[in-house]
Amino acid sequence: MGNRRGVNKAKKAEGLLKHPPLTDSHYTDMVSILQSWPEPVVRVQSVSDSGINSIPECYVKPVYDRPYAHDLRSTEANIPVIDPANIDTSNPTLRQTTLNLISDACCQWGFFQVINHGVSHHLMAATRNIWREFFHLPLDVKQEYANSPATYEGYDSRLGVEKGAKLDWSDYFFLHCHPTSVRNERKWAAQPASCRKMVAEYNDEVMKLCRQLMKVFSLNLGLEEDYLQNAFGGDEISASLRVNFYPNCPQPDKYLTLGISPHSDPGGITILLPDDHVYGLQVRKDDAWVTVKPIPNAFIVNLADQLQVLLCIFVYELTHICLYMIFICFVLWLRN
């Protein structure tokens, strides 16, 4: 990165950051009048477990939204893999090479996988397992945490309040993790018994990774390394957790439905912890969908809308299949 380019990028970034992004409170104000869903919500897991042989019509996507095999890029393609541990190396060449790799991944894909990220592999596996246990609890236990469109915090199966909308084939649990002042642990799952403790520990560890990535993004914009972290709230930066649960589908070979419809994330960074055994994420690149192949014990990093603007990336290039007015979101995928 040349000095002139770095200075220009820094000026642009500073100008954009004079207008802070919408916060959780703004979002809550916008939807506070919506205290309930427009129609009864049926859990997808319950539908799947009922023994049906075909997908109910409310989950069948319009033809133009369905995934097709001919629209998929070669299975050899995959998003970049980055080792962020090299950011703190004493070798300046290796450090700059890593910064460049991340910059290229952001500009060309908007997604990359991180290895050697510092988060315990045991903690990652335990977090997956504890949430899988939650989704296999009796429905009446899970219903104690049912959410509303006022905050989306809690257990549910739909986003959006449009009546008669086509629904996604997934259930989820959404909650606010950071800062601690916004936590409402009454909405955090108390079963399994260690769930709340696990969520807090997982949040703390992944936030460390996010701070490291924010440092990299700042440097690649020609800014001081703590600039973005401070601009978006410093120690009070907003973060949430969403756990997506994808029940078995009765017609997987028909390409009729999606776990989550195509979208871009309106936050800053999304850190995804996938199921190692499921190729469940597709990223749109060069007019084709690329199926991401997760590396065991790696996180998938998605540059969301707010940072896309700062890093001069076109939003339509980063659409993916899988609404938050938050800066960081942790997403965890689970299969039945």
Side-chain angles (χ1 to χ4, degrees):
M1 178 186 299
N3 290 335
R4 179 176 299 176
R5 182 182 176 190
V7 169
N8 289 340
K9 289 166 73 176
K11 288 182 177 178
K12 289 179 182 178
E14 289 173 353
L16 287 165
L17 288 170
K18 290 179 181 177
H19 304 282
L22 290 175
T23 64
D24 292 335
S25 61
H26 291 138
Y27 179 63
T28 301
D29 291 343
M30 286 190 287
V31 298
S32 61
I33 61 172
L34 299 169
Q35 298 300 322
S36 62
W37 301 107
E39 51 203 358
V41 177
V42 179
R43 305 306 179 200
V44 178
Q45 188 177 7
S46 297
V47 176
S48 174
D49 290 345
S50 69
I52 59 171
N53 296 316
S54 60
I55 299 172
E57 186 61 30
C58 60
Y59 299 100
V60 176
K61 300 294 183 181
V63 174
Y64 53 80
D65 275 345
R66 297 178 194 173
Y68 290 98
H70 63 72
D71 193 33
L72 297 178
R73 183 175 291 275
S74 165
T75 56
E76 296 303 317
N78 200 10
I79 60 175
V81 179
I82 306 291
D83 184 348
N86 292 327
I87 295 300
D88 296 320
T89 180
S90 59
N91 184 325
T93 301
L94 183 57
R95 183 173 188 266
Q96 188 59 50
T97 298
T98 306
L99 290 173
N100 292 343
L101 288 173
I102 295 175
S103 178
D104 290 344
C106 291
C107 293
Q108 296 173 20
W109 288 87
F111 286 81
F112 55 92
Q113 297 192 67
V114 288
I115 57 175
N116 297 327
H117 41 66
V119 180
S120 161
H121 295 173
H122 173 76
L123 176 62
M124 295 166 71
T127 302
R128 284 196 201 94
N129 291 338
I130 206 78
W131 280 109
R132 187 172 280 109
E133 287 182 44
F134 170 83
F135 281 101
H136 283 96
L137 291 172
L139 181 59
D140 61 330
V141 175
K142 293 181 289 188
Q143 283 294 110
E144 295 177 12
Y145 304 97
N147 71 6
S148 77
T151 66
Y152 283 105
E153 192 166 15
Y155 169 63
D156 214 282
S157 305
R158 68 175 293 163
L159 289 171
V161 292
E162 179 186 351
K163 191 171 183 178
K166 294 296 184 181
L167 305 177
D168 293 331
W169 192 261
S170 59
D171 298 330
Y172 70 86
F173 201 108
F174 174 77
L175 51 83
H176 299 293
C177 293
H178 196 86
T180 55
S181 59
V182 305
R183 293 181 182 178
N184 181 358
E185 294 197 6
R186 289 176 300 173
K187 295 186 177 182
W188 291 27
Q191 294 187 50
S194 59
C195 189
R196 291 178 176 176
K197 179 181 178 181
M198 188 76 66
V199 168
E201 183 180 355
Y202 181 80
N203 168 76
D204 292 344
E205 292 304 306
V206 179
M207 283 296 291
K208 295 176 183 177
L209 171 62
C210 290
R211 292 187 187 98
Q212 185 179 35
L213 292 173
M214 294 285 281
K215 171 182 172 181
V216 172
F217 298 148
S218 293
L219 292 172
N220 278 339
L221 284 168
L223 301 166
E224 295 295 326
E225 64 180 36
D226 61 349
Y227 190 93
L228 287 178
Q229 177 75 27
N230 291 335
F232 283 105
D235 291 337
E236 297 298 301
I237 200 167
S238 179
S240 69
L241 171 71
R242 172 171 168 149
V243 184
N244 293 331
F245 183 81
Y246 303 103
N248 292 330
C249 178
Q251 295 175 291
D253 56 334
K254 299 297 183 182
Y255 298 104
L256 296 177
T257 191
L258 291 166
I260 299 184
S261 300
H263 65 282
S264 64
D265 292 349
I269 312 173
T270 300
I271 307 294
L272 298 100
L273 174 58
D275 188 318
D276 288 341
H277 306 293
V278 178
Y279 292 180
L281 174 68
Q282 293 177 337
V283 176
R284 190 74 174 174
K285 179 175 171 57
D286 299 333
D287 297 322
W289 289 104
V290 176
T291 299
V292 176
K293 294 172 281 296
I295 295 174
N297 300 315
F299 285 108
I300 298 173
V301 178
N302 169 205
L303 206 65
D305 291 348
Q306 294 172 19
L307 280 180
Q308 288 173 27
V309 173
L310 292 178
L311 297 176
C312 305
I313 300 172
F314 294 105
V315 172
Y316 71 85
E317 290 184 333
L318 304 186
T319 303
H320 60 283
I321 298 177
C322 292
L323 314 227
Y324 327 100
M325 296 301 178
I326 55 176
F327 190 75
I328 298 172
C329 183
F330 311 138
V331 177
L332 190 154
W333 304 333
L334 298 172
R335 274 296 302 273
N336 200 22

